[in-house]
Amino acid sequence: MQNDNLKSYLHLHVIVFIWGFTAILGKLISLEALDLVWYRMLFASVIMTFVVLFNKEKVKVPFNILVGFVVSGIIIAAHWLTFYQAIKVSNVSITLACLSTGAFFASILEPIIHKRKIIWYELLFGVIVVVGLGIIFNVETKYKTGIYLAVSSAFLSALFSVINGKYAKEYDPNIISLYELSSGFFFISIYLFFAGSFTPAFFALSINDLIWLFLLSSICTAYAFSASVKVMKFLSPFTVMLTINLEPIYGIILALLIFKDGEEMTPLFYVGALIILATVIANGIVKSYKKLTTN
């Protein structure tokens, strides 16, 4: 079991690095945030359908579980929508840094949903992450709208992770991913249909957008989404959320390399980002110590 935990933790870091690249793709793709999420969930749903059919997996689940998957699908769709909208109105660095508040939200939501006691150091690490966010908020005032959207996205991400943590221990990650991605796609489609958004222009994708969307939907969504559910079998939702806080570090480095001047921030911004990184490391040390002392 301990070996499985280590493999899952390392696998999670690979997934988080991939997620860090999704922000880059969000900026490279010229579509509006809602359109981008619709295409992402469409392509990813199709890919997961082929995966499930190829593996001949059983898709039938109890009705109450199906309802839970649908709710989770709507939550992840809302998370991605606020995430990409935050990138559009601010930049990659601001959006990814603000996602770190997800750890704080997870430390509050997990005890409520999983009905367990609050662990003091989880709450402490979550508060420290918020301190890092506060520094960023105070020095990057021109990006307030992006910050609000990104923090909303972080809450939705934490809620999704905590809910999925219950399902991941009982159901196959491919089945969970198929239902959740398809549900998100379905409800966004209903909204776009009644909003009259399905015009010829909506479906006129450039070659570049098509390429980036396929990469986003396959590697960054279908694979990473399913794999993230799988690692939840061995890791707590809080550990998942706190490790996801490395996404800003990976993403910001990539953004600086790719977009250069457009992503350069004030020195205090990077102080906030370093606080986040230090918190992730501290969490790993504390959890390792706890395991050693209890074994």
Side-chain angles (χ1 to χ4, degrees):
M1 177 63 74
Q2 190 170 359
N3 191 40
D4 287 336
N5 289 345
L6 177 60
K7 287 181 179 178
S8 296
Y9 190 68
L10 294 174
H11 193 186
L12 179 59
H13 278 276
V14 173
I15 296 166
V16 171
F17 179 82
I18 292 172
W19 279 338
F21 197 70
T22 63
I24 305 298
L25 293 174
K27 191 161 186 175
L28 290 172
I29 296 170
S30 64
L31 301 177
E32 295 294 327
L34 186 59
D35 301 357
L36 191 161
V37 174
W38 185 84
Y39 274 108
R40 180 181 186 179
M41 301 196 90
L42 167 63
F43 292 166
S45 298
V46 171
I47 292 169
M48 289 311 305
T49 299
F50 279 112
V51 169
V52 168
L53 289 175
F54 179 80
N55 292 331
K56 297 180 180 179
E57 300 179 63
K58 294 181 180 179
V59 297
K60 188 176 181 179
V61 296
F63 179 74
N64 63 314
I65 300 300
L66 175 61
V67 172
F69 288 164
V70 171
V71 171
S72 295
I74 295 172
I75 291 172
I76 197 62
H79 158 64
W80 283 338
L81 177 59
T82 50
F83 174 73
Y84 287 116
Q85 187 61 26
I87 291 175
K88 300 294 183 182
V89 301
S90 57
N91 61 25
V92 172
S93 298
I94 287 291
T95 302
L96 290 179
C98 292
L99 278 183
S100 309
T101 54
F104 173 70
F105 291 128
S107 69
I108 296 173
L109 290 170
E110 187 180 356
I112 295 172
I113 294 177
H114 288 221
K115 297 179 180 179
R116 68 159 176 81
K117 292 182 179 179
I118 294 176
I119 299 175
W120 68 268
Y121 65 81
E122 289 187 352
L123 192 58
L124 174 63
F125 289 143
V127 170
I128 294 173
V129 165
V130 173
V131 171
L133 173 69
I135 293 173
I136 293 170
F137 188 86
N138 286 327
V139 298
E140 302 296 343
T141 54
K142 64 180 179 180
Y143 294 125
K144 281 187 177 180
T145 301
I147 291 172
Y148 292 141
L149 285 166
V151 171
S152 299
S153 182
F155 172 80
L156 292 165
S157 177
L159 180 60
F160 172 77
S161 294
V162 172
I163 292 174
N164 250 22
K166 298 176 66 175
Y167 298 134
K169 292 178 173 58
E170 299 180 29
Y171 295 93
D172 184 88
N174 290 335
I175 299 300
I176 296 174
S177 301
L178 174 61
Y179 276 118
E180 291 179 346
L181 290 168
S182 300
S183 299
F185 165 73
F186 176 74
F187 281 96
I188 292 177
S189 296
I190 292 176
Y191 172 80
L192 289 173
F193 176 79
F194 285 104
S197 299
F198 289 136
T199 62
F202 179 90
F203 296 102
L205 296 176
S206 68
I207 296 299
N208 281 341
D209 280 347
L210 193 58
I211 292 172
W212 295 134
L213 278 168
F214 180 76
L215 179 59
L216 177 65
S217 304
S218 56
I219 303 299
C220 300
T221 305
Y223 163 72
F225 195 90
S226 179
S228 68
V229 175
K230 186 175 181 179
V231 301
M232 287 180 188
K233 291 179 182 290
F234 306 100
L235 304 174
S236 74
F238 181 81
T239 297
V240 172
M241 276 307 306
L242 203 56
T243 306
I244 287 173
N245 285 332
L246 280 174
E247 182 180 339
I249 308 301
Y250 297 144
I252 290 168
I253 292 172
L254 287 169
L256 283 170
L257 292 173
I258 296 171
F259 302 118
K260 299 183 176 21
D261 294 345
E263 292 292 331
E264 288 188 1
M265 312 299 290
T266 61
L268 278 177
F269 170 85
Y270 296 106
V271 170
L274 284 174
I275 288 174
I276 293 165
L277 178 59
T279 305
V280 174
I281 295 171
N283 175 63
I285 294 172
V286 170
K287 285 190 180 296
S288 298
Y289 177 76
K290 289 283 185 182
K291 286 182 180 179
L292 287 174
T293 55
T294 53
N295 289 340

